[in-house]
Structure formats: structure tokens, C-alpha cells
């Protein structure tokens, strides 16, 4: 049923930041191999927004690898913990969500996560299932499982304490809630980002107290976002959502800094280290196209990846225009006009936000039109808006559509 343990470890250790402990993971895999029983691999995600992004997929891809090796994925949707707000890796308090926000977000999460793991084969649990049953004595017993001193060992809490930044009591509850999830589902392994290690270790302690074998904690590196600096996140705006259209996903990847490519290849693709090194030893732009195509291929398939590559070459390498672009229906009175100011056309087509921006872009030489890409440099220039004419401002394009003037 399962591949040999060394083969499993070769796959599972790729890209991993830390394991507590490797010896325990090997022992669990040996037990699983000998008994034919799958391990229970836990990953929890709080529905804090509408979009699951590539940063979330790093541990989810590891969960997928465990699934493909024959183990049981246990996905926790944090419908209770989202109301508290995870303080991990944060230097300020995180606002929890209302029940209405949580319910709305949770509905979208499973559909998106299904793009990465086999949801049908996974055990999906919402943690309000057990926390809704908790009474006051249950919370007292849970709070008695740790100390203030232990909580202050957290890097984020210690930094906030030194900076005299508030630490709210409800935030201190979060690691215990996440840890109790592990007790409820009897996790053998829990996955998370590096900033989650403290929470994962609390799960080990609570399992010991509950008489269970403590879970193995396996953390993955934090994926930097498209800016190449900060952690990928919705609040920062440096993310790529897993449900974004293929062309948008491809284009955003093509704009990441070159230095991000080794990290993204390792964490977002299944390519071997040798393959990655060979790709990165070539031209950076070609390597980035391979990366972008790999990401699109994972979510949308081979045809979509090839279409994105062809579209990119046509648009940016062969200086062609994309097959799909915004079409702008012009006012009827312009269909017979011979001298419509280009400044007005740029604004009407949405290529420029204002006439002042349009004039500035014309002066910069960023505007051209037609199949011959005739450049416009005079801010007073006019055009005859023929049906189907393509107007360009930098990388932005619009196809003009005219209507017949009303018959008098």
C-alpha cells in the first residue's frame, strides 16, 4: 500500500523548514508501512477571507504529497479559531471575524482547496464542532494546560511585550484552541508554516496530557509574495489567488523579482532540485516563463499553460496583441467623426484615468495605435476611430468599437 519509508521521506522532506522530530516521523512511517494503517495528517486553515492564495498552498501541497503516499488528510476549517484571530508572526493584535463573515468565507474555501488536495478523500472538520460543546469548566481545564511564562516564549508576544504593545487575553487562547484540535482528531502529524511552530508544539503537549502519542510537527517556509519582500498575504496585496484566471496568474508570476524564483520553484512545483538548477542556470526570463507555466498547469492543466505561454510570446516577444483584450464601445457621434482627440479616446477607453494622465503618457511616447504601431507624440493629435482599431498605452490595450450614428 505504501512506498518504502526512505522513498516517502525523500518526497516529504523536500522544501521542509523544520521537523519535531525527524526520528519520530520515521518511526510513525515505519509503523504505518508495517501495519498498513495510514497516518493522520492534520492541516488547519482559518477562513479569514475569500481568497486562498499561493502562500496557503505551500503546506497544502505537502498535505497532498502525504495523500498521494497513501496517508489520511485531516483538514480543519477554523470556524471557531477564526473568531479569535491567530497572533502567530504578528506584531499587533489581529481582529477576529464575526460569525457571519466566517460562514461566508468558509463556503468558498473548500472549493478552492479542492484545487490542491483530494477533498473527497480527506476528512474535513470544522472546529466549532467541538468548541460549541465546550462549557466553562472545559475552558478552565484547557487554560490550565499552559503558563503565562510559556506563552511569553513566543517570539511575537515577547517582541510586543518589549515594545509595550498590547497583548490581549483572547490571543493567548488561540494556541490552546489549535492544539486541542489535534487532540480531537488524534493527529499523527501536523503541518504549518514556520510561524506556526509554537502552536503545533502546544498540540504535542495537549496530546501527551490526553494520553495520546504526541504529533510530529512539520513546518514549511513562509512564501514571500510578489513584491519579493513581505509574506504573501491578502492584507498586503502581494498575493496570487488560486482562483485567479490563468492569464492573470501567469502575468503576476512573470513580474516577480528574479531572486524569488528558487524559492517559488521549490515550494510551488514538484520539480527536482536538479531540474530547478538546470532551469535557473539559463536565461532568467525563460526560467520565469517555465515557473509561471508550471503554476498555471497545476491549477488549470496543460492546455491553459500552453495558451498562456503563446499569449505571452505574442504580446511581449513578438510585439503582437493578445487575442482577448478590453473592447470599448464609443459614443455614436464618434462613429462618423474624423478628428477625435486622442486624449479623449484614451480616457473613454479606460487606458488613462484622466486627460492629464493621457497627455503625460503621450509626451512620454507610451501611446500608439493600429497594426503598424504608429506612435503618437503630439498631445493635440486626433484619430478617426475605425471599428476594431487597437489603441495602446504602454502594456495596456483596447479595441475600439464604433456604432452607426442615428438616422435622422
Amino acid at each position: 500500500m505504501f512506498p518504502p519509508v526512505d522513498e516517502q521521506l525523500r518526497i516529504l522532506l523536500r522544501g521542509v523548514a523544520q521537523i519535531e522530530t525527524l526520528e519520530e516521523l520515521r518511526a510513525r512511517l515505519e509503523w504505518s508501512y508495517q501495519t498498513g494503517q495510514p497516518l493522520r495528517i492534520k492541516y488547519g486553515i482559518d477562513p479569514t477571507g475569500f481568497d486562498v492564495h499561493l502562500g496557503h498552498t505551500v503546506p497544502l501541497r505537502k498535505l497532498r504529497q502525504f495523500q498521494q503516499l497513501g496517508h489520511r488528510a485531516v483538514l480543519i476549517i477554523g470556524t471557531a479559531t477564526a473568531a479569535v484571530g491567530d497572533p502567530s508572526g504578528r506584531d499587533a493584535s489581529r481582529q477576529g471575524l464575526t460569525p457571519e463573515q466566517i460562514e461566508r468565507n468558509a463556503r468558498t474555501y473548500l472549493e478552492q482547496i479542492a484545487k490542491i488536495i483530494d477533498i473527497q478523500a480527506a476528512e474535513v472538520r470544522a472546529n466549532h464542532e467541538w468548541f460549541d460543546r465546550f462549557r466553562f469548566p472545559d475552558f478552565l481545564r484547557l487554560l490550565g494546560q499552559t503558563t503565562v511564562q510559556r506563552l511569553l516564549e513566543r517570539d511575537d508576544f515577547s517582541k510586543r511585550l518589549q515594545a509595550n504593545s498590547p497583548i490581549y487575553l483572547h490571543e493567548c487562547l488561540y494556541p490552546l484552541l489549535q492544539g486541542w484540535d489535534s487532540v480531537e482528531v488524534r493527529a499523527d502529524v501536523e503541518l504549518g508554516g514556520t510561524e506556526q511552530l509554537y502552536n503545533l508544539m502546544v498540540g504535542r503537549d495537549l496530546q501527551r496530557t490526553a494520553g495520546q502519542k504526541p504529533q510530529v510537527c512539520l513546518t514549511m517556509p513562509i512564501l514571500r509574495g510578489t513584491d519579493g519582500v513581505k509574506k504573501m498575504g491578502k492584507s498586503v496585496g502581494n498575493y496570487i489567488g488560486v482562483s485567479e484566471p490563468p492569464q492573470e496568474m501567469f502575468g503576476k508570476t512573470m513580474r516577480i523579482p528574479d531572486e524569488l524564483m528558487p524559492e517559488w520553484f521549490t515550494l510551488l512545483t514538484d520539480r527536482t532540485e536538479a531540474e530547478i538548477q538546470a532551469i535557473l542556470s539559463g536565461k532568467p526570463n525563460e526560467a520565469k516563463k517555465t515557473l509561471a507555466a508550471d503554476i498555471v498547469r497545476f491549477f488549470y492543466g496543460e492546455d491553459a499553460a500552453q495558451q498562456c505561454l503563446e499569449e505571452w510570446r505574442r504580446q511581449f516577444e513578438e510585439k503582437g496583441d493578445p487575442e482577448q483584450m478590453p473592447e470599448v464601445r464609443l459614443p455614436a457621434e464618434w462613429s462618423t467623426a474624423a478628428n477625435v482627440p486622442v486624449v479623449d479616446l484614451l480616457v473613454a477607453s479606460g487606458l488613462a484615468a484622466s486627460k492629464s494622465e493621457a497627455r503625460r503618457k503621450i509626451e512620454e511616447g507610451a501611446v500608439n495605435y493600429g497594426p503598424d504601431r504608429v506612435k503618437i507624440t503630439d498631445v493635440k493629435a486626433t484619430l478617426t476611430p475605425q471599428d476594431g482599431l487597437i489603441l495602446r498605452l504602454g502594456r495596456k490595450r483596447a479595441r475600439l468599437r464604433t456604432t452607426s450614428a442615428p438616422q435622422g
Side-chain angles (χ1 to χ4, degrees), residues 114-330:
K115 296 174 179 286
I116 303 121
I117 69 168
D118 184 350
I119 285 288
Q120 299 302 318
E123 179 180 324
V124 181
R125 309 283 293 275
N127 60 9
H128 76 266
E129 174 188 330
W130 41 88
F131 287 122
D132 282 356
R133 298 196 304 263
F134 260 46
R135 299 170 302 157
F136 185 64
D138 299 317
F139 276 110
L140 284 181
R141 282 193 293 272
L142 187 59
L143 289 168
Q145 300 301 310
T146 192
T147 64
V148 173
Q149 290 88 340
R150 177 77 191 280
L151 286 169
L152 292 178
E153 292 175 5
R154 291 179 62 117
D155 186 55
D156 39 24
F157 281 175
S158 62
K159 286 179 179 178
R160 283 159 65 178
L161 188 66
Q162 293 169 10
N164 201 30
S165 180
I167 302 171
Y168 293 93
L169 286 176
H170 75 280
E171 297 180 273
C172 301
L173 182 62
Y174 190 95
L176 291 165
L177 297 180
Q178 181 174 331
W180 189 257
D181 290 345
S182 296
V183 175
E184 288 285 345
V185 301
R186 306 186 72 88
D188 291 301
V189 178
E190 182 171 9
L191 308 177
T194 52
E195 88 283 9
Q196 289 282 322
L197 182 60
Y198 178 91
N199 296 351
L200 272 57
M201 295 296 285
V202 169
R204 282 172 64 90
D205 293 342
L206 293 179
Q207 284 181 308
R208 286 193 188 97
T209 303
Q212 298 178 14
K213 186 176 290 188
Q215 66 186 11
V216 175
C217 303
L218 190 153
T219 63
M220 301 295 295
I222 301 298
L223 187 74
R224 287 182 290 168
T226 54
D227 58 356
V229 179
K230 295 183 179 179
K231 170 186 175 181
M232 183 175 284
K234 295 182 281 289
S235 60
V236 184
N238 63 349
Y239 74 101
I240 300 176
V242 303
S243 293
E244 291 187 21
Q247 294 287 355
E248 193 168 342
M249 189 178 283
F250 190 96
K252 284 186 177 182
T253 304
M254 289 300 296
R255 292 190 286 273
I256 68 171
D258 290 353
E259 58 268 23
L260 270 188
M261 285 196 287
E263 175 184 327
W264 279 38
F265 265 117
T266 299
L267 299 178
L268 300 177
T269 79
D270 293 325
R271 291 188 179 272
T272 66
E273 188 63 33
E275 285 180 300
I276 295 171
Q277 291 304 318
I279 293 167
L280 294 177
S281 65
K283 295 180 180 179
N285 194 56
E286 291 300 314
K288 202 172 292 183
K289 283 193 294 187
T290 301
L291 173 62
D294 280 355
I295 291 172
V296 170
R297 186 179 294 111
F298 182 84
F299 294 104
Y300 290 101
E302 182 63 33
D303 289 347
Q306 289 304 317
Q307 184 177 353
C308 286
L309 282 167
E310 291 168 9
E311 189 77 14
W312 185 269
R313 293 189 186 103
R314 182 187 305 113
Q315 187 172 352
F316 297 107
E317 296 172 12
E318 300 170 6
K319 302 301 182 184
D321 292 305
E323 293 179 359
Q324 302 295 326
M325 72 177 75
E327 293 193 350
V328 180
R329 183 70 61 179
L330 298 177

